[in-house]
Amino acid sequence: MTMQNIRLERGDDGVWTLTFDRPNSAANVFDRATLEELGAHLAAVAADAAARGLVLMSAKDSIFVAGVDLRVVRQMSAGDLAVFIELGQTVFGQLAALRIPTVAAIHGAALGGGYEVALACDWRVASPDACTKVGLPETKLGLIPAWGGSTRLPHLIGVPKALDLILAGKTPGARPARKLGLIDEIVPREHLRTAAVAWLARGKHPRSLVHSAPMNAVVDLAIAPHVRRDVEAKTRGLYPAVQKAMEAVMGGAAKWHEVDALKREREAIGELIGTESTRNLVSLFFLQERAKHRALPGVSAGERAIACAAVIGAGVMGAGIAQWLSARGLRVILRDIDPTRVAAGMATVGGLYTAGVRRRLFTEHEARAGFSRISPAATEVPLRRMDLVIEAAVEKMDVKQNIFRRLDDIVSDETLLATNTSALSITELAAATKRPERVIGIHFFNPVHSMQLVEVIVGRSTAPECAQRARRFVQRIGKLPVLVKDSPGFLVNRILLPYLTEAARLFERGASAIEVDEAMLDFGMPMGPLRLIDEVGADIAADVAATLSAAFPERMSVPAILPGLIAAGWLGRKAGKGFYVHDAKDAWKPNDDAANLRTGAQQVVPLSREALAHRMALLMINEAAHCLAEGLVEAPGDVDFAMVTGTGFAPFRGGPLCYADSLGARRVVGELSRLAEQSGAHYQPCPLLVEMAQTGKHFYED
Ligand code: NAI
């Protein structure tokens, strides 16, 4: 066997070091060869009677071991996969069974198999760097940790905490990981190995000595029913991996024999791997990876990285953007015409940092440093040294155009001029300046700190270098960009709107708010559409609907219930009432009075939840197909990735276009056509779908 992915060295002190260093790659991953190599190295270590201990390290800049090589796993047959899983379990078992103490010295991401190998060690030390993250995110891919992770983690940190981490696929940074017990000590990167050697002195972890004793034999009896109910309520049976992971964790914790527990892990992953939902989740993972690294071929983004930015408008979005940028090391000017809004914006930023410290995302020191990188400005300041300006003032074309005209005089020729507008035309805005080629949309979603997607909107006159630079900037600040051509509503809001207005229309026609929302929760959306309208605000939803219906009058309109709600002052959560009544504690119940706003003209026969969900989902598919046909984005994957990341569209369905493929274009078109005849022209299927139905094509051909 050629040894090439891991270096094995022995010091004179009897301490062995295994360094993961996959050649020609920024990442370490586990494939079959690497596992076999690890197994051979471990056998050599085990044979050394004078060995004192073993330290596992990585030579990479930002990755310990990123997990399994998903590209390889995706191609495996069920039989090959079973062999591969068993090999990993055996090798990690070899590591756990060494009679010498073992320490994983983690710098960078130790995820999935990368953390399971660390779990098979006695101790774990990690660097505090931002790139260091640990955890078992397998359920996010429709899989479960099956190299001992589902069994060993509950033994290390207890069943409740292990369940919380594994079922949600969380991957905390070093500090929260230390608090949870996922790692034992945080040490600066340069001292990692020394610290690891010091941990060897503690000997074997007490857990490995009581090897196969159950950590808590009453687990199943005491907490299992409660957890099962909770998981069932949260997943609605849509995420089999979460259920299987739950069984594996609870079963593993209560099992006397590790062998049984590991067998259970193997069986569970074997059942999951071929399912459509796992396939879709894995594809989404690849789409996200693509968004992280993608660039326009042959277009330079310029030499200089964006280091300082001005944010114009210190409201909800401006403050959120300023905080995010400052936390990533940028110097930021936060400007507003209203001094009280500047102060309020800075208070919002302060609140976000405080919350970050509480969640151990930052140290106090980092939070203070981040906060002090923002300079508040209530009067005009020179912006000539800014690399980027992001305008996040009120959503009015004339206000924004005035801001951009003024910017013309106070920024340099190099400055990228961006707007955070949710719907206004970038091209029209750019026309107000002397440098339309430098104007672009950088559309963050709310709340900025938790939404990963950013739409980069390219106006008709935007220069390709500026698009490249904006996309690179979004990638560098740790968000996921999708490049979209300027068009009303851009991509995400454009596809979301027909869905929201359909929900409102179904309500108008007699369906209850609960029925409409539950239908979509059953479908897999994270929140029902009517509750989402309440969150967004009926006024804003009506505005967006008006803008989009002006652009696409044949398919879109403002449902009558929205002006009704607005007239009644029931704007949604911010007003305490909308489709629901909201109380101060964020609890909500249906607003029975909203039903009185129905015009009553078109009551429909009650529809089942499936039928309700079907109508709403079909309209998303249809609009997504229109966007693709208009060339707003390059590929179906862009649409699906953006809808899942930006709206939480049922991830296991892979996005609206992937879902359309699973239904088949013929069925989609057939049902849309039937609805168009019976219930309204807005169901008319998109010509692209019609053509696909005729030719039997799919959005994803492979
Ligand atoms: P907001 O109303 O909270 O804040 C707007 C701020 O702009 C106010 O503080 C106002 O004083 C300031 N402002 C107005 N004219 C100004 C000028 N000439 N110069 C400097 N500051 C000025 O609004 P929000 O929600 O933060 O929205 C800002 C932009 O972001 C809008 O274009 C909106 O469409 C967009 N957006 C909003 C999202 C949301 O969920 N709130 C999501 C994504 C985009």
Side-chain angles (χ1 to χ4, degrees):
M1 182 192 349
T2 49
M3 301 285 196
Q4 49 186 4
N5 295 299
I6 312 169
R7 279 197 304 279
L8 177 66
E9 289 145 312
R10 185 187 195 278
D12 295 339
D13 54 359
V15 174
W16 289 88
T17 305
L18 275 172
T19 307
F20 290 93
D21 193 6
R22 189 180 179 80
N24 310 320
S25 167
N28 293 311
V29 285
F30 280 123
D31 52 15
R32 197 170 167 152
T34 309
L35 285 174
E36 283 170 351
E37 211 178 310
L38 179 60
H41 286 325
L42 290 172
V45 173
D48 175 8
R52 255 193 351 103
L54 171 67
V55 176
L56 265 55
M57 306 196 55
S58 155
K60 304 298 183 198
D61 280 340
S62 61
I63 287 172
F64 177 72
V65 180
V68 295
D69 188 343
L70 279 171
R71 275 175 191 79
V72 175
V73 169
R74 195 145 75 144
Q75 312 293 338
M76 281 183 183
S77 68
D80 288 348
L81 183 82
V83 172
F84 182 60
I85 297 293
E86 193 154 0
L87 175 65
Q89 288 192 344
T90 308
V91 173
F92 290 8
Q94 248 178 291
L95 173 60
L98 286 178
R99 52 169 189 81
I100 50 169
T102 51
V103 184
I106 301 168
H107 168 75
L111 302 177
Y115 184 62
E116 288 177 299
V117 77
L119 272 176
C121 291
D122 292 297
W123 313 103
R124 286 144 293 276
V125 295
S127 75
D129 301 32
C131 61
T132 297
K133 278 188 285 183
V134 301
L136 303 171
E138 283 84 346
T139 53
K140 285 197 170 157
L141 299 170
L143 301 168
I144 73 158
W147 281 343
S150 302
T151 308
R152 291 194 178 102
L153 189 62
H155 282 262
L156 183 68
I157 61 171
V159 173
K161 280 198 274 177
L163 277 174
D164 181 50
L165 272 160
I166 291 178
L167 300 193
K170 291 182 188 168
T171 55
R175 277 180 288 267
R178 166 76 191 85
K179 170 120 197 289
L180 286 163
L182 296 172
I183 53 178
D184 299 296
E185 191 187 3
I186 296 178
V187 194
R189 182 182 183 188
E190 52 280 19
H191 303 312
L192 265 183
R193 188 169 183 288
T194 318
V197 172
W199 275 86
L200 291 174
R202 305 206 182 196
K204 298 294 287 175
H205 191 289
R207 164 180 53 99
S208 37
L209 300 177
V210 282
H211 200 48
S212 55
M215 190 208 59
N216 182 358
V218 294
V219 151
D220 243 2
L221 291 172
I223 68 165
H226 167 72
V227 175
R228 286 203 180 90
R229 256 198 320 275
D230 199 35
V231 165
E232 183 53 38
K234 278 196 190 131
T235 65
R236 295 179 179 238
L238 299 172
Y239 290 86
V242 174
Q243 301 209 311
K244 288 206 189 295
M246 170 187 71
E247 298 300 342
V249 168
M250 292 198 300
K255 278 259 180 304
W256 279 99
H257 296 294
E258 201 170 85
V259 186
D260 289 344
L262 292 176
K263 180 160 171 269
R264 210 163 155 151
E265 287 185 6
R266 283 203 303 278
E267 286 168 358
I269 201 163
E271 286 163 28
L272 289 167
I273 192 80
T275 60
E276 184 173 332
S277 119
T278 300
R279 257 203 325 275
N280 290 341
L281 291 168
V282 171
S283 300
L284 276 171
F285 169 82
F286 284 115
L287 288 174
Q288 294 201 343
E289 287 300 300
R290 176 162 156 262
K292 277 186 198 164
H293 305 292
R294 203 155 157 223
L296 292 168
V299 179
S300 154
E303 292 304 310
R304 234 181 42 202
I306 288 173
C308 43
V311 179
I312 314 281
V316 178
M317 295 305 288
I321 295 168
Q323 189 271 338
W324 185 265
L325 299 188
S326 67
R328 259 114 214 113
L330 275 83
R331 276 173 291 118
V332 181
I333 292 174
L334 182 57
R335 157 91 172 112
D336 203 291
I337 36 163
D338 178 348
T340 58
R341 298 303 294 260
V342 176
M346 289 304 283
T348 305
V349 171
L352 287 165
Y353 271 118
T354 309
V357 170
R358 213 177 312 119
R359 293 176 53 213
R360 291 171 198 265
L361 300 174
F362 314 104
T363 61
E364 296 262 0
H365 172 73
E366 285 165 348
R368 263 197 306 276
F371 188 80
S372 67
R373 275 193 285 273
I374 305 182
S375 317
T379 52
E380 189 174 289
V381 287
L383 300 177
R384 212 158 288 284
R385 313 249 310 261
M386 294 295 113
D387 299 313
L388 167 71
V389 175
I390 303 180
E391 170 279 319
V394 283
E395 185 76 342
K396 294 216 166 68
M397 185 52 100
D398 56 337
V399 173
K400 289 190 193 290
Q401 282 188 331
N402 283 335
I403 293 176
F404 274 75
R405 262 188 222 110
R406 182 67 197 131
L407 285 173
D408 250 352
D409 298 329
I410 58 172
V411 300
S412 83
D413 287 345
E414 296 300 304
T415 311
L416 199 57
L417 298 178
T419 169
N420 187 51
T421 179
S422 346
L424 300 175
S425 159
I426 307 299
T427 308
E428 198 180 328
L429 193 53
T433 75
K434 282 182 254 158
R435 51 191 118 200
E437 72 285 354
R438 305 203 64 79
V439 175
I440 196 157
I442 299 187
H443 180 212
F444 289 84
F445 288 75
N446 186 15
V448 176
H449 65 274
S450 60
M451 295 298 290
Q452 276 194 298
L453 185 73
V454 173
E455 289 180 319
V456 173
I457 297 126
V458 183
R460 255 201 305 274
S461 32
T462 311
E465 300 76 45
C466 292
Q468 187 82 308
R469 192 143 194 248
R471 171 146 70 181
R472 180 72 60 77
F473 160 74
V474 171
Q475 289 165 335
R476 286 221 179 106
I477 60 167
K479 298 282 181 194
L480 298 173
V482 58
L483 218 63
V484 185
K485 274 198 198 131
D486 188 18
S487 162
F490 312 137
L491 181 69
V492 170
N493 287 338
R494 157 105 175 252
I495 298 173
L496 201 59
L497 188 92
Y499 159 67
L500 294 182
T501 50
E502 181 71 358
R505 211 167 283 121
L506 290 167
F507 177 86
E508 276 168 18
R509 295 186 178 191
S512 75
I514 293 284
E515 282 296 297
V516 170
D517 279 356
E518 285 292 315
M520 287 321 286
L521 292 171
D522 284 348
F523 178 84
M525 301 301 278
M527 178 184 276
L530 297 179
R531 267 206 62 212
L532 186 54
I533 294 180
D534 269 11
E535 287 297 315
V536 171
D539 49 343
I540 308 261
D543 263 2
V544 181
T547 309
L548 283 173
S549 18
F552 310 106
E554 63 292 357
R555 297 192 298 284
M556 301 194 201
S557 58
V558 184
I561 188 86
L562 290 183
L565 287 166
I566 296 168
W570 297 339
L571 299 182
R573 190 157 68 90
K574 60 189 169 190
K577 239 184 194 187
F579 286 104
Y580 294 89
V581 181
H582 304 259
D583 72 15
K585 288 192 199 120
D586 270 356
W588 44 273
K589 60 177 191 336
N591 174 9
D592 296 331
D593 299 332
N596 298 332
L597 299 175
R598 289 176 180 137
T599 49
Q602 307 168 290
Q603 294 292 323
V604 282
V605 236
L607 294 169
S608 68
R609 280 192 191 175
E610 288 77 23
L612 289 169
H614 207 53
R615 290 183 178 212
M616 292 183 265
L618 282 174
L619 287 180
M620 271 193 277
I621 292 177
N622 205 33
E623 203 55 38
H626 275 290
C627 290
L628 188 69
E630 287 169 28
L632 293 195
V633 288
E634 265 175 28
D638 294 328
V639 175
D640 282 344
F641 146 75
M643 288 309 287
V644 174
T645 322
T647 73
F649 184 99
F652 69 97
R653 298 192 194 274
L657 296 179
C658 181
Y659 178 52
D661 274 356
S662 75
L663 296 175
R666 192 175 299 160
R667 179 167 165 207
V668 170
V669 168
E671 292 180 13
L672 280 169
S673 307
R674 184 180 54 79
L675 284 166
E677 250 168 55
Q678 294 169 359
S679 304
H682 65 291
Y683 291 107
Q684 204 63 53
C686 162
L688 173 63
L689 280 167
V690 175
E691 185 201 311
M692 287 170 64
Q694 282 158 358
T695 54
K697 280 211 176 115
H698 295 93
F699 288 109
Y700 296 87
E701 280 305 339
D702 47 356

